[in-house]
Amino acid sequence: KKKLKISGRELVSVPAQVFSLDQLQVLEMSPERESCLRYRMELLPREISHLRNLTCLYVDSNNLKKIPAEIGTLSQLERLTLSSNSLSSLPPEMGALQRLHSLHLANNSLTELPAPLCQLRSLTFLDVSDNKIGTIPSSIRQLEKLETLLLNFNSLESLPEDVGLLRNLRTLWLGNNHLRSLPASFGELVNLDWGYNYCSCNFGGNPLESPPPEVCSRGPEEIRAYFLSFHR
């Protein structure tokens, strides 16, 4: 088998036989689209390391409190979904997942952007919305391939200047944080898909003062002009 979906009304653990399927590429253990099911896994087994050929691992909407260090051995992993769990941290070994391009971490209990994430150079999609994240480290600049960054519904009070180095960003959600200002470098995000697709970037629910919301709604070029006007 190359793909396996495990389902159960009250799933709390993974059958041991799963970890002998060393050719498995896609493993789904999520009730995400099946409301009648309630999964209650609190721990991803360490034996996950036996599945060296996994490219996709779906474990949304469980009750995971911890991700084992062995996750870092899944060198082929390209997509990992961990949304709607009870995670407050991630193991540093996740930084070894250098093929990972899509990571879903929405609706957990993260209070900071875990340092290992900034080592994932192939990441193009990162969703950390609906957590309790208060700061974004300057090391985020290492995610040079990032195209989508979802940070809405967190506790952000500021963004680092280095966010302007994410030149490939096309979608950035910042709504419902505590942002009073944006860094001057924000105007360098010229690839944000503004135009008719305003949902590609939003600031709603923030007490923005600089630049004012009416400037933000016009796009990065206006934001850049706003900050340049203070240096003339």
Side-chain angles (χ1 to χ4, degrees):
K1 286 184 178 295
K2 300 287 186 178
K3 182 176 181 179
L4 176 64
K5 176 178 173 58
I6 298 176
S7 62
R9 189 172 294 276
E10 299 286 339
L11 187 70
V12 295
S13 62
V14 185
Q17 297 94 321
V18 169
F19 303 112
S20 64
L21 302 174
D22 55 6
Q23 297 303 307
L24 200 62
Q25 294 179 353
V26 179
L27 177 57
E28 184 175 346
M29 298 180 288
S30 170
E32 188 77 359
R33 289 167 292 279
E34 299 177 70
S35 58
C36 63
L37 302 180
R38 289 187 298 172
Y39 291 8
R40 301 175 182 275
M41 282 195 303
E42 294 189 0
L43 182 65
L44 195 61
R46 297 172 60 183
E47 288 78 10
I48 193 75
S49 63
H50 297 169
L51 305 179
R52 295 295 177 90
N53 288 297
L54 269 190
T55 59
C56 299
L57 177 58
Y58 302 93
V59 279
D60 302 273
S61 301
N62 277 276
N63 194 27
L64 295 175
K65 294 178 169 59
K66 185 178 180 181
I67 301 299
E70 285 75 11
I71 194 79
T73 65
L74 303 180
S75 59
Q76 304 300 311
L77 204 60
E78 298 176 0
R79 182 178 176 87
L80 175 61
T81 66
L82 295 167
S83 296
S84 299
N85 279 287
S86 301
L87 299 171
S88 58
S89 63
L90 297 174
E93 288 80 5
M94 273 191 67
L97 302 178
Q98 289 302 307
R99 292 197 178 190
L100 198 67
H101 60 72
S102 181
L103 178 58
H104 298 242
L105 290 166
N107 194 24
N108 276 286
S109 299
L110 299 172
T111 56
E112 61 182 3
L113 195 65
L117 301 192
C118 295
Q119 302 171 27
L120 302 176
R121 302 295 180 86
S122 294
L123 212 58
T124 60
F125 181 99
L126 175 58
D127 182 359
V128 285
S129 57
D130 204 5
N131 277 279
K132 302 173 184 177
I133 295 173
T135 58
I136 300 295
S138 292
S139 55
I140 196 172
R141 66 181 181 275
Q142 299 178 37
L143 301 181
E144 53 194 30
K145 294 185 179 179
L146 201 61
E147 296 180 2
T148 300
L149 177 57
L150 309 183
L151 287 162
N152 46 310
F153 292 98
N154 275 287
S155 302
L156 293 172
E157 295 185 357
S158 64
L159 295 175
E161 282 287 339
D162 288 8
V163 75
L165 297 176
L166 300 177
R167 302 293 171 80
N168 286 308
L169 268 187
R170 296 185 179 277
T171 301
L172 176 60
W173 289 2
L174 293 167
N176 296 93
N177 279 281
H178 306 307
L179 296 170
R180 292 189 176 277
S181 64
L182 298 176
S185 64
F186 197 91
E188 302 302 319
L189 299 178
V190 295
N191 284 317
L192 281 178
D193 184 11
W194 227 262
Y196 295 105
N197 189 19
Y198 179 62
C199 64
S200 67
C201 191
N202 66 62
F203 303 93
N206 285 288
L208 273 175
E209 297 173 357
S210 175
E214 58 267 24
V215 172
C216 292
S217 66
R218 297 178 194 142
E221 290 185 7
E222 282 76 6
I223 292 174
R224 181 165 46 189
Y226 173 87
F227 284 111
L228 284 174
S229 67
F230 290 98
H231 297 284
R232 291 173 180 169

